[in-house]
Amino acid sequence: MLEALLEYELTGGSRPEVTEARLRGQEYLLERRLFHRLSTSEVIESDREGETAFTRFAFPTWWHYDVLRGLEYLRRAAVRPDERVAEAIDLVVSKCDADGG
């Protein structure tokens, strides 16, 4: 959903209520450091159906949310560096192989 709101804005759909909704959603992700429960700070291991781990990267992404997709959204939205994404970045780095892929 955030990606769709951002696309709308980037293609010239500048409406204050759209930007406000996107920024609320963006803050929601940041408060949860992209993959933690707000209530307990535990890592969210899977979606509500118990099938999809947010820490397992998918390709193609389709409807699936994961940490990498969340970071890509923040990059496209030109979000200023935020300490709340440090753990998510560390997770991505930890999944790189020897040649950086």
Side-chain angles (χ1 to χ4, degrees):
M1 182 65 154
L2 286 177
E3 295 159 319
L5 295 174
L6 178 61
E7 279 304 313
Y8 176 77
E9 289 180 87
L10 292 175
T11 58
S14 181
R15 294 179 51 189
E17 59 272 20
V18 171
T19 301
E20 184 180 317
R22 183 181 60 79
L23 292 176
R24 278 194 320 268
Q26 182 176 297
E27 185 59 26
Y28 179 94
L29 281 179
L30 290 170
E31 285 175 341
R32 287 153 180 79
R33 299 174 308 192
L34 278 70
F35 65 110
H36 287 269
R37 295 190 189 288
L38 187 59
S39 58
T40 64
S41 293
E42 292 175 349
V43 171
I44 300 171
E45 292 296 334
S46 61
D47 63 9
R48 289 184 179 163
E49 286 78 36
E51 299 174 5
T52 306
F54 292 176
T55 57
R56 182 172 175 213
F57 306 148
F59 184 81
T61 56
W62 298 79
W63 58 268
H64 171 67
Y65 171 81
D66 62 38
V67 171
L68 192 57
R69 189 171 181 177
L71 287 168
E72 173 63 11
Y73 160 78
L74 294 172
R75 184 197 65 79
R76 290 212 59 224
V79 174
R80 298 172 97 176
D82 189 304
E83 65 186 25
R84 296 174 289 181
V85 299
E87 187 178 0
I89 292 170
D90 289 344
L91 175 67
V92 172
V93 170
S94 77
K95 291 184 178 275
C96 291
D97 57 23
D99 68 358

